[in-house]
Coordinates of all heavy atoms in Angstrom, one line a residue:
M8 N 80.2 150.1 129.1 CA 80.5 149.0 128.1 C 81.2 147.8 128.8 O 82.1 148.0 129.6 CB 81.4 149.5 127.0 CG 81.7 148.5 126.0 SD 82.6 149.3 124.7 CE 82.5 148.1 123.5
D9 N 80.7 146.6 128.6 CA 81.2 145.4 129.2 C 82.5 145.0 128.4 O 82.4 144.7 127.2 CB 80.2 144.3 129.2 CG 80.6 143.1 129.9 OD1 81.7 143.1 130.6 OD2 80.0 142.0 129.8
L10 N 83.6 145.0 129.0 CA 84.9 144.6 128.3 C 85.4 143.2 128.7 O 86.5 142.9 128.6 CB 85.9 145.6 128.6 CG 85.7 147.0 128.1 CD1 86.8 148.0 128.5 CD2 85.6 147.0 126.5
S11 N 84.5 142.3 129.0 CA 84.9 141.0 129.4 C 85.3 140.3 128.1 O 84.9 140.6 127.0 CB 83.8 140.2 130.0 OG 82.8 139.9 129.0
L12 N 86.2 139.3 128.2 CA 86.7 138.6 127.1 C 85.6 137.9 126.3 O 85.6 137.9 125.1 CB 87.7 137.5 127.6 CG 88.5 136.8 126.6 CD1 89.3 137.8 125.7 CD2 89.4 135.8 127.2
R13 N 84.6 137.4 127.0 CA 83.4 136.8 126.3 C 82.7 137.8 125.5 O 82.3 137.5 124.4 CB 82.5 136.1 127.4 CG 81.3 135.5 126.8 CD 81.7 134.3 125.9 NE 80.6 133.8 125.2 CZ 80.6 132.7 124.5 NH1 81.7 132.0 124.4 NH2 79.5 132.3 123.9
A14 N 82.5 139.0 126.0 CA 81.8 140.0 125.3 C 82.5 140.5 124.0 O 82.0 140.7 123.0 CB 81.5 141.2 126.2
V15 N 83.9 140.6 124.1 CA 84.7 140.9 123.0 C 84.6 139.8 121.9 O 84.4 140.1 120.7 CB 86.2 141.1 123.4 CG1 87.1 141.3 122.2 CG2 86.3 142.3 124.3
Y16 N 84.7 138.6 122.4 CA 84.6 137.4 121.4 C 83.2 137.4 120.7 O 83.1 137.3 119.5 CB 84.8 136.1 122.2 CG 84.5 134.9 121.3 CD1 85.5 134.4 120.5 CD2 83.3 134.3 121.3 CE1 85.3 133.3 119.7 CE2 83.1 133.2 120.5 CZ 84.1 132.7 119.7 OH 83.9 131.6 118.9
D17 N 82.2 137.6 121.5 CA 80.8 137.6 120.9 C 80.7 138.8 119.9 O 80.0 138.6 118.8 CB 79.7 137.8 122.0 CG 79.6 136.5 122.9 OD1 80.1 135.4 122.4 OD2 79.0 136.6 124.0
E18 N 81.2 139.9 120.2 CA 81.1 141.1 119.3 C 81.9 140.8 118.0 O 81.4 141.0 116.9 CB 81.6 142.3 119.9 CG 81.4 143.6 119.1 CD 80.0 143.9 118.9 OE1 79.1 143.6 119.7 OE2 79.7 144.5 117.8
I19 N 83.1 140.2 118.1 CA 83.9 139.9 116.9 C 83.1 138.8 116.1 O 83.0 138.9 114.9 CB 85.3 139.4 117.3 CG1 86.1 140.6 117.9 CG2 86.0 138.8 116.1 CD1 87.4 140.2 118.5
E20 N 82.6 137.8 116.8 CA 81.9 136.7 116.1 C 80.7 137.3 115.3 O 80.4 136.9 114.2 CB 81.5 135.7 117.1 CG 80.8 134.5 116.4 CD 80.3 133.5 117.4 OE1 79.9 133.8 118.5 OE2 80.2 132.3 117.0
K21 N 79.9 138.2 116.0 CA 78.7 138.8 115.4 C 79.1 139.5 114.1 O 78.3 139.5 113.1 CB 78.0 139.7 116.4 CG 76.7 140.2 115.9 CD 75.9 141.0 116.9 CE 76.7 141.8 117.9 NZ 75.9 142.7 118.7
R22 N 80.2 140.2 114.0 CA 80.6 141.0 112.9 C 81.3 140.1 111.8 O 81.1 140.4 110.6 CB 81.5 142.1 113.3 CG 80.8 143.1 114.2 CD 81.7 144.2 114.6 NE 81.1 145.1 115.5 CZ 81.5 146.3 115.8 NH1 82.6 146.8 115.2 NH2 80.8 147.1 116.6
V23 N 82.1 139.1 112.2 CA 82.9 138.4 111.2 C 82.1 137.2 110.6 O 82.2 136.9 109.4 CB 84.1 137.8 111.9 CG1 84.9 136.8 111.1 CG2 85.0 139.0 112.3
T24 N 81.2 136.6 111.3 CA 80.5 135.4 110.9 C 79.7 135.7 109.5 O 79.9 134.9 108.6 CB 79.5 134.9 111.9 OG1 80.3 134.5 113.1 CG2 78.7 133.7 111.4
P25 N 79.0 136.7 109.4 CA 78.3 136.9 108.1 C 79.2 137.1 106.9 O 79.0 136.5 105.8 CB 77.5 138.2 108.3 CG 77.4 138.4 109.8 CD 78.6 137.8 110.3
V26 N 80.3 137.7 107.1 CA 81.3 137.9 106.1 C 81.9 136.6 105.7 O 82.0 136.2 104.5 CB 82.4 138.9 106.5 CG1 83.5 139.0 105.4 CG2 81.8 140.3 106.8
V27 N 82.3 135.8 106.7 CA 82.9 134.5 106.4 C 81.9 133.6 105.7 O 82.2 132.9 104.8 CB 83.4 133.9 107.7 CG1 83.9 132.4 107.5 CG2 84.6 134.7 108.3
E28 N 80.7 133.6 106.2 CA 79.6 132.7 105.6 C 79.4 133.1 104.1 O 79.3 132.3 103.2 CB 78.3 132.8 106.3 CG 78.4 132.1 107.6 CD 77.1 132.2 108.4 OE1 76.2 133.0 108.1 OE2 77.0 131.4 109.4
D29 N 79.4 134.4 103.8 CA 79.3 134.8 102.4 C 80.4 134.3 101.5 O 80.2 133.9 100.4 CB 79.2 136.4 102.3 CG 77.9 136.9 102.8 OD1 76.9 136.1 102.9 OD2 77.8 138.1 103.1
V30 N 81.7 134.4 102.1 CA 82.8 134.0 101.3 C 82.8 132.5 101.1 O 83.0 132.0 100.0 CB 84.1 134.3 102.1 CG1 85.3 133.7 101.5 CG2 84.3 135.9 102.1
V31 N 82.5 131.7 102.1 CA 82.4 130.3 102.0 C 81.3 129.8 101.1 O 81.5 128.8 100.4 CB 82.3 129.6 103.4 CG1 82.0 128.2 103.4 CG2 83.5 129.9 104.3
R32 N 80.3 130.5 101.0 CA 79.1 130.1 100.1 C 79.3 130.6 98.7 O 78.4 130.3 97.8 CB 77.8 130.6 100.7 CG 77.5 129.8 102.0 CD 76.1 130.2 102.5 NE 75.8 129.4 103.7 CZ 75.3 129.9 104.8 NH1 75.0 131.2 104.8 NH2 75.0 129.2 105.8
S33 N 80.3 131.3 98.4 CA 80.5 131.9 97.1 C 81.0 130.9 96.1 O 81.6 129.9 96.4 CB 81.5 133.1 97.1 OG 82.8 132.6 97.3
D34 N 80.7 131.2 94.8 CA 81.2 130.3 93.7 C 82.7 130.3 93.6 O 83.3 129.3 93.3 CB 80.6 130.7 92.4 CG 79.1 130.5 92.3 OD1 78.6 129.6 93.0 OD2 78.4 131.1 91.5
E35 N 83.3 131.5 93.8 CA 84.7 131.6 93.8 C 85.4 130.7 94.8 O 86.4 130.1 94.5 CB 85.1 133.1 94.0 CG 84.7 134.0 92.9 CD 83.3 134.6 93.0 OE1 82.6 134.2 94.0 OE2 82.9 135.3 92.1
F36 N 84.8 130.7 96.0 CA 85.4 129.8 97.0 C 85.3 128.4 96.6 O 86.3 127.6 96.8 CB 84.7 130.1 98.4 CG 85.3 129.3 99.5 CD1 86.5 129.7 100.2 CD2 84.7 128.1 99.9 CE1 87.0 128.9 101.2 CE2 85.2 127.3 100.9 CZ 86.4 127.7 101.6
A37 N 84.2 128.0 96.1 CA 84.0 126.6 95.7 C 85.0 126.2 94.6 O 85.6 125.2 94.6 CB 82.5 126.4 95.2
T38 N 85.2 127.1 93.6 CA 86.1 126.9 92.6 C 87.6 126.8 93.1 O 88.3 125.9 92.8 CB 86.1 128.0 91.5 OG1 84.7 128.1 91.0 CG2 87.1 127.8 90.4
A39 N 87.9 127.7 94.0 CA 89.2 127.7 94.6 C 89.5 126.5 95.4 O 90.6 125.9 95.4 CB 89.4 129.0 95.5
N40 N 88.5 126.0 96.1 CA 88.6 124.8 96.9 C 88.7 123.6 96.0 O 89.5 122.7 96.3 CB 87.3 124.7 97.8 CG 87.5 123.7 98.9 OD1 88.6 123.5 99.4 ND2 86.4 123.1 99.4
T41 N 88.0 123.5 94.9 CA 88.2 122.4 94.0 C 89.6 122.4 93.4 O 90.2 121.4 93.3 CB 87.1 122.6 92.8 OG1 85.8 122.5 93.4 CG2 87.2 121.5 91.8
V42 N 90.0 123.6 92.9 CA 91.4 123.6 92.3 C 92.4 123.3 93.4 O 93.4 122.5 93.1 CB 91.6 125.1 91.8 CG1 93.1 125.2 91.4 CG2 90.7 125.3 90.6
A43 N 92.3 123.7 94.6 CA 93.2 123.4 95.7 C 93.2 121.9 95.9 O 94.3 121.3 96.1 CB 92.9 124.1 96.9
G44 N 92.1 121.3 95.9 CA 92.0 119.8 96.1 C 92.7 119.1 94.9 O 93.4 118.1 95.1
Q45 N 92.5 119.5 93.7 CA 93.1 118.9 92.6 C 94.6 119.1 92.6 O 95.4 118.1 92.3 CB 92.6 119.5 91.2 CG 91.1 119.1 91.0 CD 90.5 119.8 89.8 OE1 91.0 120.9 89.4 NE2 89.4 119.3 89.3
V46 N 95.1 120.2 93.0 CA 96.5 120.5 93.1 C 97.1 119.6 94.2 O 98.2 119.0 94.0 CB 96.8 122.0 93.3 CG1 98.3 122.2 93.8 CG2 96.5 122.8 92.1
R47 N 96.4 119.5 95.3 CA 96.9 118.7 96.4 C 97.0 117.2 96.0 O 98.0 116.5 96.2 CB 96.0 118.8 97.6 CG 96.4 118.0 98.8 CD 95.4 118.1 99.9 NE 95.7 117.3 101.0 CZ 95.5 116.0 101.2 NH1 94.9 115.3 100.2 NH2 95.9 115.3 102.2
G48 N 96.0 116.8 95.3 CA 96.0 115.4 94.8 C 97.1 115.1 93.8 O 97.8 114.1 93.9
A49 N 97.4 116.1 92.9 CA 98.5 115.9 92.0 C 99.8 115.9 92.7 O 100.7 115.0 92.4 CB 98.4 117.0 90.9
V50 N 100.0 116.8 93.7 CA 101.2 116.8 94.4 C 101.4 115.5 95.2 O 102.5 114.9 95.2 CB 101.3 118.0 95.4 CG1 102.4 118.0 96.3 CG2 101.3 119.3 94.5
V51 N 100.4 115.1 95.9 CA 100.5 113.8 96.7 C 100.8 112.6 95.7 O 101.7 111.8 96.1 CB 99.2 113.6 97.4 CG1 99.1 112.1 98.0 CG2 99.0 114.6 98.6
H52 N 100.2 112.6 94.6 CA 100.5 111.5 93.6 C 101.9 111.5 93.2 O 102.6 110.5 93.2 CB 99.5 111.7 92.4 CG 99.7 110.6 91.4 ND1 99.3 109.3 91.6 CD2 100.3 110.6 90.2 CE1 99.5 108.6 90.6 NE2 100.2 109.3 89.7
R53 N 102.5 112.7 92.9 CA 103.9 112.8 92.5 C 104.8 112.4 93.6 O 105.8 111.7 93.4 CB 104.2 114.2 92.0 CG 103.6 114.4 90.7 CD 104.3 115.5 89.9 NE 103.7 115.6 88.6 CZ 104.2 116.1 87.6 NH1 105.5 116.5 87.6 NH2 103.6 116.2 86.5
I54 N 104.5 112.9 94.8 CA 105.3 112.5 96.0 C 105.3 111.0 96.2 O 106.4 110.4 96.5 CB 104.9 113.3 97.2 CG1 105.2 114.8 97.1 CG2 105.5 112.7 98.5 CD1 104.6 115.7 98.2
Q55 N 104.2 110.4 96.1 CA 104.1 109.0 96.3 C 104.9 108.2 95.3 O 105.5 107.2 95.5 CB 102.6 108.5 96.3 CG 101.9 108.9 97.6 CD 100.4 108.6 97.5 OE1 99.8 108.4 96.4 NE2 99.7 108.5 98.6
G56 N 104.8 108.7 94.0 CA 105.6 108.1 92.9 C 107.1 108.2 93.2 O 107.8 107.2 93.0
V57 N 107.5 109.4 93.6 CA 109.0 109.6 94.0 C 109.4 108.7 95.1 O 110.4 108.0 95.1 CB 109.3 111.0 94.3 CG1 110.7 111.2 94.8 CG2 109.1 111.9 93.0
A58 N 108.5 108.6 96.2 CA 108.8 107.8 97.3 C 108.9 106.3 96.9 O 109.8 105.6 97.4 CB 107.7 108.0 98.4
A59 N 108.0 105.9 96.1 CA 108.0 104.5 95.6 C 109.3 104.2 94.9 O 109.9 103.1 95.1 CB 106.7 104.2 94.8
S60 N 109.7 105.1 94.0 CA 110.9 104.9 93.3 C 112.1 104.8 94.2 O 113.0 104.0 94.0 CB 111.1 106.1 92.3 OG 110.1 106.1 91.3
V61 N 112.2 105.7 95.2 CA 113.3 105.6 96.1 C 113.3 104.3 96.9 O 114.3 103.7 97.1 CB 113.2 106.9 97.1 CG1 114.2 106.7 98.2 CG2 113.5 108.1 96.3
L62 N 112.1 103.9 97.4 CA 112.0 102.7 98.1 C 112.4 101.5 97.2 O 113.2 100.6 97.7 CB 110.6 102.4 98.6 CG 110.2 103.4 99.8 CD1 108.7 103.3 100.1 CD2 111.0 103.0 101.0
H63 N 112.0 101.5 96.0 CA 112.4 100.4 95.1 C 113.9 100.4 94.8 O 114.5 99.3 94.6 CB 111.6 100.5 93.8 CG 110.2 100.1 93.9 ND1 109.2 100.6 93.1 CD2 109.5 99.3 94.8 CE1 108.0 100.2 93.4 NE2 108.2 99.4 94.5
L64 N 114.5 101.6 94.8 CA 116.0 101.7 94.5 C 116.7 100.9 95.6 O 117.8 100.4 95.4 CB 116.4 103.1 94.5 CG 116.2 103.8 93.1 CD1 116.5 105.3 93.3 CD2 117.0 103.2 92.0
V65 N 116.2 101.0 96.9 CA 116.9 100.3 98.0 C 116.3 99.0 98.3 O 116.4 98.5 99.4 CB 117.0 101.3 99.2 CG1 117.8 102.4 99.0 CG2 115.6 101.7 99.7
N66 N 115.5 98.5 97.3 CA 114.9 97.1 97.4 C 113.9 97.0 98.5 O 113.9 96.0 99.2 CB 116.0 96.1 97.5 CG 115.9 95.0 96.5 OD1 115.1 95.1 95.6 ND2 116.8 94.1 96.5
L67 N 113.1 98.0 98.8 CA 112.1 98.0 99.8 C 110.7 98.1 99.1 O 110.6 98.8 98.0 CB 112.2 99.1 100.8 CG 113.4 99.0 101.7 CD1 113.6 100.2 102.6 CD2 113.3 97.8 102.6
P68 N 109.7 97.5 99.6 CA 108.3 97.6 99.0 C 107.7 99.0 99.3 O 107.9 99.6 100.4 CB 107.5 96.5 99.7 CG 108.2 96.4 101.0 CD 109.6 96.6 100.8
A69 N 107.0 99.5 98.3 CA 106.3 100.8 98.4 C 104.9 100.5 98.9 O 104.5 99.3 99.0 CB 106.3 101.5 97.1
G70 N 104.1 101.5 99.3 CA 102.8 101.3 99.7 C 101.9 100.6 98.7 O 101.1 99.7 99.1
T71 N 102.1 100.9 97.4 CA 101.3 100.2 96.4 C 101.6 98.7 96.4 O 100.7 97.9 96.2 CB 101.6 100.8 95.0 OG1 103.0 100.8 94.8 CG2 101.0 102.2 94.9
D72 N 102.9 98.3 96.6 CA 103.3 96.9 96.7 C 102.6 96.2 97.8 O 102.1 95.1 97.7 CB 104.8 96.8 96.8 CG 105.5 97.5 95.6 OD1 105.1 97.4 94.5 OD2 106.6 98.1 95.9
V73 N 102.6 96.9 99.0 CA 102.0 96.3 100.2 C 100.5 96.1 100.0 O 99.9 95.1 100.3 CB 102.3 97.2 101.4 CG1 101.6 96.7 102.6 CG2 103.8 97.2 101.7
R74 N 99.8 97.1 99.4 CA 98.4 97.0 99.1 C 98.1 95.8 98.2 O 97.2 95.1 98.4 CB 97.8 98.3 98.6 CG 97.6 99.4 99.6 CD 96.8 100.5 99.1 NE 97.5 101.3 98.1 CZ 98.4 102.2 98.3 NH1 98.7 102.5 99.6 NH2 99.0 102.9 97.3
K75 N 98.9 95.7 97.2 CA 98.7 94.6 96.2 C 98.9 93.3 96.9 O 98.1 92.3 96.7 CB 99.7 94.7 95.1 CG 99.6 93.7 94.0 CD 100.6 93.9 92.9 CE 100.5 92.8 91.8 NZ 101.5 93.0 90.8
L76 N 100.0 93.1 97.7 CA 100.2 91.9 98.5 C 99.1 91.6 99.4 O 98.6 90.4 99.6 CB 101.5 92.0 99.2 CG 102.8 91.9 98.3 CD1 104.0 92.2 99.1 CD2 102.9 90.5 97.6
R77 N 98.6 92.6 100.1 CA 97.4 92.4 101.0 C 96.2 91.9 100.3 O 95.5 91.0 100.8 CB 97.1 93.7 101.8 CG 98.0 94.0 102.9 CD 97.5 95.2 103.6 NE 98.4 95.5 104.8 CZ 98.4 96.6 105.5 NH1 97.5 97.5 105.2 NH2 99.2 96.8 106.5
R78 N 96.0 92.5 99.1 CA 94.8 92.0 98.3 C 95.0 90.5 97.9 O 94.1 89.7 98.0 CB 94.6 92.9 97.1 CG 93.3 92.6 96.4 CD 93.2 93.3 95.0 NE 94.0 92.5 94.0 CZ 95.1 92.9 93.4 NH1 95.6 94.1 93.6 NH2 95.7 92.1 92.5
Q79 N 96.2 90.2 97.5 CA 96.5 88.8 97.1 C 96.4 87.9 98.2 O 95.8 86.8 98.1 CB 97.9 88.7 96.4 CG 98.0 89.4 95.1 CD 99.4 89.5 94.6 OE1 100.4 89.4 95.3 NE2 99.6 89.7 93.3
V80 N 96.9 88.2 99.4 CA 96.8 87.4 100.6 C 95.3 87.2 100.9 O 94.8 86.1 101.3 CB 97.5 88.0 101.8 CG1 97.2 87.3 103.1 CG2 99.0 87.9 101.5
G81 N 94.5 88.2 100.8 CA 93.1 88.1 101.1 C 92.4 87.2 100.1 O 91.5 86.4 100.5
E82 N 92.8 87.3 98.8 CA 92.2 86.4 97.8 C 92.6 84.9 98.1 O 91.8 84.0 98.0 CB 92.6 86.8 96.4 CG 92.0 88.1 96.0 CD 92.6 88.6 94.7 OE1 93.6 88.0 94.2 OE2 92.2 89.7 94.2
L83 N 93.8 84.7 98.5 CA 94.3 83.4 98.8 C 93.6 82.8 100.0 O 93.2 81.6 100.1 CB 95.8 83.3 99.0 CG 96.7 83.4 97.8 CD1 98.1 83.6 98.2 CD2 96.5 82.2 96.9
D84 N 93.4 83.7 101.0 CA 92.7 83.2 102.2 C 91.3 82.8 101.9 O 90.8 81.8 102.4 CB 92.7 84.4 103.2 CG 92.0 84.0 104.5 OD1 92.4 83.0 105.2 OD2 91.0 84.7 104.9
Y85 N 90.6 83.6 101.0 CA 89.3 83.2 100.6 C 89.3 81.9 99.9 O 88.4 81.0 100.1 CB 88.7 84.3 99.7 CG 87.4 84.0 99.1 CD1 86.2 84.1 99.9 CD2 87.2 83.5 97.8 CE1 85.0 83.8 99.4 CE2 86.0 83.2 97.3 CZ 84.8 83.4 98.1 OH 83.6 83.0 97.6
E86 N 90.2 81.7 99.0 CA 90.3 80.4 98.2 C 90.6 79.2 99.2 O 89.9 78.2 99.0 CB 91.4 80.5 97.2 CG 91.1 81.3 96.0 CD 92.2 81.3 94.9 OE1 92.8 80.2 94.7 OE2 92.4 82.4 94.4
V87 N 91.4 79.4 100.1 CA 91.7 78.3 101.1 C 90.5 78.0 101.9 O 90.2 76.8 102.1 CB 92.9 78.7 102.0 CG1 93.0 77.8 103.2 CG2 94.2 78.8 101.2
R88 N 89.7 79.0 102.3 CA 88.5 78.7 103.1 C 87.5 78.0 102.2 O 86.9 77.0 102.7 CB 87.9 80.0 103.6 CG 88.6 80.5 104.9 CD 87.9 81.7 105.5 NE 88.3 82.9 104.8 CZ 87.6 83.9 104.3 NH1 86.3 83.8 104.4 NH2 88.1 84.9 103.7
Q89 N 87.4 78.3 100.9 CA 86.5 77.7 100.0 C 86.9 76.2 99.8 O 86.1 75.3 99.9 CB 86.4 78.4 98.7 CG 85.8 79.8 98.7 CD 84.4 79.7 99.2 OE1 84.1 80.1 100.3 NE2 83.5 79.4 98.3
L90 N 88.2 76.0 99.7 CA 88.7 74.6 99.5 C 88.5 73.8 100.7 O 88.2 72.6 100.7 CB 90.2 74.7 99.1 CG 90.5 75.2 97.7 CD1 92.0 75.4 97.5 CD2 89.9 74.2 96.6
R91 N 88.7 74.4 101.9 CA 88.5 73.7 103.2 C 87.0 73.2 103.3 O 86.8 72.1 103.7 CB 88.8 74.5 104.4 CG 90.3 74.6 104.7 CD 90.6 75.4 105.9 NE 92.0 75.5 106.1 CZ 92.5 76.5 106.9 NH1 91.8 77.3 107.5 NH2 93.8 76.5 107.1
M92 N 86.1 74.1 102.9 CA 84.7 73.8 103.0 C 84.4 72.6 102.0 O 83.6 71.7 102.3 CB 83.8 75.0 102.7 CG 83.9 76.0 103.9 SD 82.8 77.5 103.8 CE 82.4 77.7 102.1
E93 N 85.0 72.7 100.8 CA 84.7 71.7 99.8 C 85.3 70.3 100.3 O 84.6 69.3 100.1 CB 85.4 72.1 98.5 CG 85.1 71.2 97.3 CD 85.7 71.7 96.0 OE1 85.8 72.9 95.8 OE2 86.2 70.8 95.3
V94 N 86.5 70.3 100.8 CA 87.1 69.1 101.3 C 86.2 68.5 102.5 O 86.0 67.3 102.5 CB 88.5 69.3 101.8 CG1 89.1 68.2 102.6 CG2 89.4 69.6 100.6
A95 N 85.8 69.4 103.4 CA 85.0 68.9 104.5 C 83.6 68.3 104.0 O 83.2 67.3 104.5 CB 84.7 70.1 105.5
E96 N 83.1 69.0 103.0 CA 81.8 68.5 102.4 C 82.0 67.1 101.7 O 81.2 66.2 101.9 CB 81.3 69.5 101.4 CG 79.9 69.2 100.8 CD 79.5 70.3 99.9 OE1 79.4 71.5 100.3 OE2 79.1 70.0 98.7
R97 N 83.1 67.0 101.0 CA 83.4 65.7 100.3 C 83.7 64.6 101.4 O 83.2 63.5 101.2 CB 84.6 65.8 99.4 CG 84.2 66.6 98.1 CD 85.4 66.6 97.2 NE 85.0 67.4 96.0 CZ 85.8 67.5 94.9 NH1 87.0 66.9 94.9 NH2 85.4 68.3 93.9
A98 N 84.4 65.0 102.4 CA 84.7 64.0 103.5 C 83.4 63.5 104.1 O 83.1 62.4 104.4 CB 85.6 64.5 104.5
H99 N 82.5 64.5 104.4 CA 81.2 64.2 105.0 C 80.4 63.3 104.1 O 79.8 62.3 104.5 CB 80.4 65.5 105.3 CG 79.1 65.3 106.0 ND1 79.0 64.9 107.3 CD2 77.9 65.5 105.5 CE1 77.7 64.8 107.6 NE2 77.0 65.1 106.5
S100 N 80.4 63.6 102.8 CA 79.6 62.8 101.8 C 80.2 61.4 101.7 O 79.5 60.4 101.6 CB 79.7 63.4 100.4 OG 79.0 64.7 100.4
A101 N 81.5 61.3 101.8 CA 82.2 59.9 101.8 C 81.8 59.1 103.0 O 81.6 57.9 102.9 CB 83.7 60.1 101.7
V102 N 81.8 59.8 104.2 CA 81.4 59.1 105.4 C 80.0 58.6 105.3 O 79.6 57.5 105.7 CB 81.6 60.0 106.6 CG1 80.9 59.4 107.9 CG2 83.1 60.2 106.9
E103 N 79.1 59.5 104.8 CA 77.7 59.1 104.6 C 77.5 57.9 103.7 O 76.8 57.0 103.9 CB 76.8 60.3 104.2 CG 76.6 61.3 105.3 CD 75.7 62.4 104.8 OE1 75.5 62.5 103.5 OE2 75.2 63.2 105.6
A104 N 78.3 57.9 102.6 CA 78.3 56.8 101.6 C 78.7 55.5 102.2 O 78.2 54.5 102.0 CB 79.1 57.2 100.4
D105 N 79.8 55.6 103.0 CA 80.3 54.4 103.7 C 79.3 53.9 104.7 O 79.1 52.6 104.8 CB 81.6 54.7 104.5 CG 82.8 54.9 103.5 OD1 82.7 54.4 102.3 OD2 83.8 55.4 104.0
D106 N 78.6 54.8 105.4 CA 77.6 54.3 106.4 C 76.4 53.7 105.6 O 75.9 52.7 106.1 CB 77.0 55.6 107.1 CG 78.0 56.1 108.2 OD1 79.0 55.3 108.5 OD2 77.8 57.2 108.7
E107 N 76.0 54.2 104.5 CA 74.9 53.5 103.7 C 75.4 52.2 103.2 O 74.6 51.2 103.2 CB 74.5 54.5 102.6 CG 73.8 55.7 103.1 CD 73.4 56.7 101.9 OE1 73.7 56.3 100.7 OE2 72.9 57.7 102.2
D108 N 76.6 52.1 102.8 CA 77.1 50.8 102.3 C 77.3 49.8 103.4 O 77.1 48.5 103.2 CB 78.5 51.0 101.6 CG 78.4 51.7 100.3 OD1 77.3 51.8 99.7 OD2 79.4 52.3 99.8
G109 N 77.6 50.2 104.6 CA 77.8 49.3 105.7 C 76.5 48.8 106.3 O 76.5 47.8 107.0
E110 N 75.4 49.4 106.0 CA 74.1 49.0 106.7 C 73.6 47.8 106.1 O 73.7 47.1 105.2 CB 73.1 50.1 106.5 CG 73.4 51.3 107.4 CD 72.3 52.4 107.3 OE1 71.3 52.2 106.6 OE2 72.6 53.5 107.8

């Protein structure tokens, strides 16, 4: 019998893999995984709420505040770009109108 580490690993893998695959493909595992995900989400949501409250108590912004500000800055940036294009277009139109009047 070959007692190399690789042979031991291969033998264990050959015996364990079908059992693990059966468990992972079972309805019970899918249900447990879904419930675990929901519990994790609820816990994370509560922790974030508590963290936000603590940060607000010491007058610091929470992650939600930063995300909101980033969105607002992005919207303002977009508006400024639109206004710049509009101003440039009007200036260009005014120059063309002056050129036509001057001819």
